[in-house]
Amino acid sequence: VQLVESGGGLVKPGGSLRLSCAASGFIFGDYSMNWVRQAPGKGLEWVSSISGGGAYIHYAESVKGRFTTSRDNAMNSLYLQMNTLSAEDTAFYYCARDVYSTGEALSRFDYWGQGTLVTVAS
Amino acid sequence: SFELTQPPSVSVSPGQTASIMCSGDKLGNKYASWYQQKPGQSPILVIYQDTKRPSGIPERFSGSLSGNTATLTISGTQSVDEADYYCQAWASNSFVFGTGTKVTVL
């Protein structure tokens, strides 16, 4: 199993960025996927989840209405479109695999990518 | 909103036992997972469903749940166990991470 994030970088406040997560080594569509972020020196914050088939998508309140999660199971890829970015969105963004196809009480994240850094600054 | 609270830091001598607690309202009705994160690395899962250990995780890592408090215990702590530890639970179609605990092996 391998998860590789890309697309991070420096963006101005109010700008947009699209992150990608390339998955390999497992049947991508069988698993729910998540985005988790970590501001430098801070704790983990769950951002979003998307079910294996893509029908169920959930967001943290802090990003709802600004971020959009999607996936392309044919391309084994997960995406995070981030709009109206602010300094508070500066963080490492990780994609993480859930052991189930939809998030539930028994869910946990068994594989994580290496993360991609998003810096929002003027 | 659902929150999980952990102590900011725990110090332990090599070979001794470290206990990290995670408390949250109605956590007893949910399942807790625990993640270890070393500096510059991605988190790894060390405990799930309160007490279960993924393959490859040393037996010195164990978990328990009592009331609304989950506990991660590291028995015979080694220097390689020095890291940040986070609890996690699922609630209302979202995931919540604890505030994190830095374990220092003195």
Side-chain angles (χ1 to χ4, degrees):
Chain A
V1 173
Q2 194 171 14
L3 300 171
V4 179
E5 301 93 339
S6 61
L10 176 64
V11 60
K12 289 181 168 51
S16 298
L17 209 57
R18 188 194 196 208
L19 305 183
S20 299
C21 172
S24 60
F26 64 101
I27 302 174
F28 185 63
D30 283 354
Y31 295 87
S32 176
M33 296 296 297
N34 294 265
W35 289 101
V36 177
R37 68 184 181 183
Q38 185 173 36
K42 303 297 185 182
L44 300 174
E45 179 189 14
W46 173 80
V47 171
S48 177
S49 66
I50 182 168
S51 60
Y56 304 101
I57 307 174
H58 303 288
Y59 300 96
E61 287 297 327
S62 58
V63 305
K64 199 173 290 185
R66 300 187 300 122
F67 289 13
T68 301
T69 294
S70 62
R71 65 191 296 162
D72 184 337
N73 287 348
M75 296 294 291
N76 293 333
S77 293
L78 172 71
Y79 305 102
L80 182 66
Q81 176 67 44
M82 303 185 295
N83 299 329
T84 320
L85 287 162
S86 69
E88 288 69 37
D89 298 313
T90 294
F92 284 94
Y93 284 75
Y94 297 97
C95 62
R97 190 184 82 165
D98 189 337
V99 298
Y100 294 106
S101 59
T102 59
E104 56 157 273
L106 297 176
S107 284
R108 63 270 187 186
F109 301 164
D110 60 348
Y111 288 95
W112 298 64
Q114 84 290 347
T116 187
L117 178 61
V118 172
T119 303
V120 184
S122 54
Chain B
S1 62
F2 183 64
E3 297 178 351
L4 294 173
T5 302
Q6 300 177 230
S9 62
V10 167
S11 296
V12 60
S13 299
Q16 299 305 302
T17 297
S19 295
I20 307 163
M21 286 176 285
C22 167
S23 61
D25 187 34
K26 297 182 181 178
L27 180 58
N29 295 334
K30 309 180 193 304
Y31 290 98
S33 298
W34 290 91
Y35 299 86
Q36 176 195 68
Q37 186 181 34
K38 297 182 179 180
Q41 298 184 18
S42 303
I44 63 170
L45 179 69
V46 295
I47 292 290
Y48 67 97
Q49 290 180 29
D50 300 332
T51 63
K52 299 180 179 180
R53 196 174 51 248
S55 61
I57 300 301
E59 291 184 8
R60 63 181 181 273
F61 288 89
S62 63
S64 62
L65 179 67
S66 177
N68 289 324
T69 299
T71 301
L72 174 68
T73 300
I74 311 173
S75 304
T77 306
Q78 301 179 8
S79 58
V80 296
D81 301 327
E82 190 162 281
D84 293 328
Y85 292 84
Y86 297 90
C87 58
Q88 178 207 40
W90 182 88
S92 302
N93 291 322
S94 67
F95 291 94
V96 177
F97 285 95
T99 50
T101 299
K102 182 176 182 59
V103 171
T104 301
V105 183
L106 299 172

